Amino acid sequence: MSEPGRLLKNSRLEAIVVLTLWLITMIWTVGVSYWLGYGRDPSSLRFFLGIPDWVFFGVILPWAFSTIATIIFATRGMKDDDLGREQESGHE
Amino acid sequence: MNNFNLTPDSVDVIFAFSLYLVGVLALGVISHRFMQRGSFVKEYFLGNRGLGPWVLALTIAATAVSGGTFMGFPSLIYTNGWVMALWIASYMIVPLTTMALLGKRLNQVARISGAVTLPDVFRDRFQSPALGLTATIIILICLTVNLVAQFKAGGTVMMVAMQLPPVNVSLFGLQVERGYLIGLVVFAATVIGYTAYGGFWAVTWTDVLEGMVMLIGVVLLAILAIGKVPEIDGKTGLDAASERLRRINPELVTAPGPSPKTHESAKAATTAEPASSGFLPLGSAFSFFVMWSIIGVGQPGGMVRLMAFKDTPSLRRSILLVAGYYVLTYIGLLIIFICARAIFPKEYLGKMGDESRGEPDSIMPVMIRYCAPHPLIAGFLLAAPYAAIMSTVAAFLLLISSSIVRDIYQRMIRPNASNKTLKYASIGVTVIVGIVVLIGAMNPPTFLQYIIVFSTSGLGCAFAFPMALTIFWKRTTRSGAIAGMLGGVLTVFALYGLGWIDGAGRMRESLGWLPGWGQPKFSAMAPYNLAGLDPLVWGLALSCGLTVGVSLLTKPDETQMRKYFPPEGG
């Protein structure tokens, strides 16, 4: 397989992984916040370190999840590819 | 020009502030020397594709974090409370969507074609000057509008930092507030100076300094703010702040946040009808998740930086750095301004609605002045929002001048222009664009936040899908890309236009059949949200649909397809 072809194949796969992670975090964040936070009776709220429970489960927790996912993606998931040489015959 | 006396505090503040400005200018001068021989245009506008991980990370983060983040966002947290955590939440995934999604492949495509600017990529991939010019014009319009708003924010921070007694001066027949004018000119001179003189390297190196100043500023201010919240029922810190918010208005700790009528900015609402929902109804929560994570993909400032990194390990490391940066910045800002609301329960609310200059966004400098234990620290902290604005302005200035010099002059008028000519043209155009925007900001527009969101949405809807499809889907055609670009940006323009017509209370009868027409809004400048969704969602959907649909109806250019999409089996 040619080197430029490999980059294309890898980057397409990586794009699919990123979009999947986007979908998971979107559904988690908007869904859980809607479920726990919208129209919530304020007297039933619990606070963790001053953070309302719905923010903790709907924003802080998925943020922690995405941070871990980002670390795994950037250290192990994403492949190193040769970016190719500059086209010097262009318009320089 | 009497009454120029500064308080001793202000002298200290200005001293700390000046140190920062000197640092920024010094970096600009050094980077000018760093510029190598060879292609001037590629060096000046793209740093010769040599960005390593740290510079790439900080330049992407510092460009994305703008005047809106440090002025508009804080005032929204102060006004609406904890629901703003959901408003900003998609920054959790932004490092992946804006860097990992397109980065590697975009960099490769730019190398194959020798592209220096974003319009270059479109133009070369489809061999279509018309497509390149369309992209250039969209960038010019959206970024110039955005720049005026950023300049205003820059002038305002400086004005607050100096705390001069308000005096109006007359300039070319305009009445301008003196402190604002001085702030604006100092701001403009610094940023135009280093950008024009040092080009891309100056912009990215100062981004590193500015990015660090912002980060340290936010973290330090968050720690100071938590300590300043008055105790309540034995609770301290953030716990006390949330408890105080709950007592001020329970809507501040739940979603969807306060409704327009429950805070005093209801003045800006168009009717006295009770509002049907709070600040962030479900449709808006979804819209803003898309806003930062997907609209961010289509920002020219970010994409140009993705064309400039050196190798893939640099990209991977900088994704990690950016992720850490956003956690600290955004969680830090949330904490600071939740505390601000607890400390000042309503002192700065009354001013929120009227959107007159400097007032809706004054909570950031106010908190800094209140929390800083010494004026020198206040000066350093005030440099943080200033740095945020400056780094964004520098990036946009350079993008605008690259559009004029590279995309229009070099590629359409004089392809054989010498390096020397291009050098003087680039520096000259950067200075002229800066001065034009400076004059625009002398009599500044109001509604800072809406202008920034409007132009950012326009760019994102124009470029996110057409670019992603151009580089990943070989069946994309030039007609498809043009249709997608124009469809996206025009949808955003149209829905904002409708919102302004509605906000002005016009055409109530003839357009009354539109769902939600004439409903109370947070501001007369707010867009028309069709079916409760922000214009950007419609713009993105239409842009994607048009790019794919029109591409399938037209024939792709086989030669270009082979050039950019090598056979995988070979």
Side-chain angles (χ1 to χ4, degrees), chain B residues 2-24:
Chain B
N2 55 353
N3 211 356
F4 225 117
N5 301 327
L6 293 164
T7 60
D9 266 19
S10 291
V11 174
D12 280 353
V13 168
I14 291 170
F15 175 72
F17 213 89
S18 313
L19 278 184
Y20 159 77
L21 288 183
V22 169
V24 166

Side-chain angles (χ1 to χ4, degrees), chain B residues 477-493:
Chain B
T477 67
R478 80 179 65 150
S479 313
I482 288 194
M485 246 182 233
L486 289 176
V489 73
L490 292 178
T491 306
V492 172
F493 284 10

